[in-house]
Amino acid sequence: MKTYPLTSLTIEEATALQFKLVDSITRFFPGNEILTRGDLGVVKGLNQPEVTKKAEQVLADFFEAESAMLVRGSGTNAIRLALHGSVGTNGTLLVHDAAIYPTTQVSIDMLGINIKKVNFNDLDALKKAIVSEELDGVLVQVTRQKIDDSYDLEEVIQAIRALNETLPIVTDDNYSAMKTKGIGTQFGGSLACFSTFKLLGPEGVGCIVGDSRYINKLKQENYSGGGQVQGHEALDVLKGMIYAPVSLAISSQVSETLCERINSGEIEGLEKAYVVNAQSKVVVIKLKESNAKEIIDAATTLGALPHPVGAESQYEFSPLVYRVSGTFRATDSQAETTMIRINPNRSGVDTIVRILKEAMNIVKK
């Protein structure tokens, strides 16, 4: 099995990203406002909390975009609204020839969007589709949908833009924002979407970054007070994002080292380990026997998390030992019993190795 994980930021690059975000914050917030819990409600003239507005300005500045919007419903609703704002209902959307992420498929169905598929790993085929198909937009999921996916976000967007400068490009940056060198809009995309919960932020808040013509429309439609992200939540988004990149870069390094130790034969019963983006950057392990469930159950008793909460959210500091993702299972019917995935979260290699060794001993008994 050949895998092509996304290139993660080094700790030095992640540190620079932390500093960049703090710099953006200081450009829009006076210090006394940072030491508060923000404001609430639909402020006259803004139709949203003032602090939320400033947080959105920070995010637009940080990601070098025209505009940004915090939304309820996490990354799922960020993508749904982005598709609504740019592609609309009953449009035609070009996607990668792979299993569409389930919640995204729901959004596509809700909007009555028609799907055209092409292999994004083949840039010539992608270019042909852009020229030959009648399209209203393109959706690019940054993280891998299939084990052998190798396409590069920047290359995909540049290939599209070389042929069509105005076609809406929505990128699903969930599981990759703040981990790699940029989000979709930094490479020429129209709207980039991600969950701030995955970046140590509050539950249920998503972010859309990109072209103001689309985001302004979405803000005008979001006139209900109950639809606003409140000031204290917006501040929590920024606070989490400050610490996310360095933490995520450390986790990436742990994954690489863990993979090397497993492949050296240190743990009996594990055949091969791979670093993949499924959905987060994790270690996927091929087992020598079809005993994935038993290993997962044993690891849980030893301190590993039994299921994800928000994919590296603030609650997930212990390592996750879990089944491989749904999109991977869709491409390999045996994966659920013959593979496991491990997300280090905030743990170190030695902790994960200990848990796996003890879990394998329990399973053998």
Side-chain angles (χ1 to χ4, degrees):
M1 184 172 70
K2 180 66 174 174
T3 63
Y4 304 87
L6 301 177
T7 301
S8 296
L9 298 175
T10 65
I11 291 179
E12 291 75 17
E13 290 170 331
T15 302
L17 211 58
Q18 172 185 312
F19 294 162
K20 181 183 178 184
L21 180 55
V22 173
D23 184 69
S24 289
I25 292 171
T26 62
R27 294 177 185 275
F28 294 91
F29 281 94
N32 61 298
E33 288 187 9
I34 290 297
L35 300 179
T36 71
R37 293 297 289 148
D39 60 333
L40 304 169
V42 284
V43 175
K44 186 176 181 179
L46 289 180
N47 207 55
Q48 66 176 151
E50 291 183 358
V51 166
T52 301
K53 175 65 174 179
K54 288 184 179 181
E56 291 172 342
Q57 291 174 318
V58 167
L59 293 170
D61 180 72
F62 173 71
F63 286 114
E64 302 153 1
E66 291 179 350
S67 188
M69 180 180 182
L70 294 174
V71 301
R72 298 210 167 278
S74 290
T76 296
N77 200 43
I79 295 169
R80 186 169 298 162
L81 289 172
L83 290 174
H84 160 64
S86 61
V87 178
T89 56
N90 303 314
T92 299
L93 183 70
L94 186 69
V95 300
H96 177 41
D97 188 9
I100 298 173
Y101 197 72
T103 56
T104 302
Q105 184 65 61
V106 172
S107 298
I108 289 169
D109 293 341
M110 288 177 65
L111 293 167
I113 291 174
N114 303 299
I115 291 298
K116 297 285 186 179
K117 289 190 174 185
V118 69
N119 183 4
F120 285 0
N121 300 305
D122 184 345
L123 288 181
D124 289 335
L126 172 63
K127 292 175 183 177
K128 183 178 179 181
I130 295 298
V131 172
S132 63
E133 300 284 357
E134 292 290 331
L135 302 172
D136 297 295
V138 181
L139 173 66
V140 184
Q141 180 177 310
V142 182
T143 59
R144 304 312 187 198
Q145 294 165 264
K146 297 188 295 185
I147 291 174
D148 60 350
D149 278 342
S150 60
Y151 61 84
D152 177 79
L153 174 65
E154 185 173 6
E155 289 181 352
V156 166
I157 294 175
Q158 287 180 348
I160 297 169
R161 284 288 175 252
L163 299 170
N164 192 319
E165 295 182 358
T166 60
L167 184 66
I169 301 174
V170 176
T171 59
D172 175 355
D173 293 88
N174 286 293
Y175 308 103
S176 63
M178 307 293 278
K179 297 181 182 181
T180 59
K181 66 177 181 178
I183 60 174
T185 50
Q186 291 174 298
F187 303 127
S190 307
L191 295 172
C193 310
F194 56 89
S195 167
T196 67
F197 188 44
K198 293 177 173 61
L199 299 172
L200 305 182
E203 299 92 330
V205 178
C207 185
I208 307 171
V209 177
D211 293 355
S212 58
R213 57 175 167 161
Y214 302 123
I215 292 178
N216 287 344
K217 172 188 173 184
L218 295 175
K219 287 187 175 183
Q220 288 170 5
E221 293 176 349
N222 188 36
Y223 53 81
S224 169
Q228 307 302 322
V229 171
Q230 302 299 335
H232 63 93
E233 296 171 306
L235 284 174
D236 287 344
V237 165
L238 298 180
K239 291 172 186 176
M241 287 182 67
I242 287 168
Y243 296 104
V246 174
S247 177
L248 294 168
I250 292 172
S251 179
S252 176
Q253 286 192 352
V254 171
S255 291
E256 298 283 353
T257 305
L258 175 63
C259 191
E260 292 171 2
R261 288 180 62 171
I262 290 172
N263 288 336
S264 71
E266 185 172 344
I267 306 173
E268 187 178 347
L270 307 185
E271 182 176 314
K272 185 74 173 177
Y274 308 85
V275 176
V276 301
N277 280 90
Q279 298 107 356
S280 299
K281 192 171 188 179
V282 297
V283 176
V284 168
I285 302 171
K286 176 73 174 176
L287 307 172
K288 291 184 177 179
E289 299 180 20
S290 299
N291 54 2
K293 185 178 185 303
E294 291 81 1
I295 294 171
I296 291 169
D297 290 343
T300 300
T301 67
L302 299 166
L305 301 180
H307 57 263
V309 178
E312 299 168 308
S313 71
Q314 58 184 298
Y315 303 110
E316 296 163 279
F317 46 84
S318 296
L320 171 74
V321 180
Y322 193 51
R323 66 186 183 184
V324 292
S325 67
T327 48
F328 274 57
R329 298 197 305 275
T331 58
D332 182 354
S333 60
Q334 304 299 314
E336 187 160 5
T337 59
T338 61
M339 291 181 171
I340 60 173
R341 63 167 150 157
I342 297 176
N343 191 327
N345 290 321
R346 317 293 172 242
S347 65
V349 178
D350 289 340
T351 298
I352 301 169
V353 169
R354 172 181 60 78
I355 288 174
L356 287 176
K357 284 182 176 179
E358 293 180 12
M360 295 307 296
N361 287 334
I362 292 172
V363 170
K364 284 193 301 184
K365 291 179 180 178

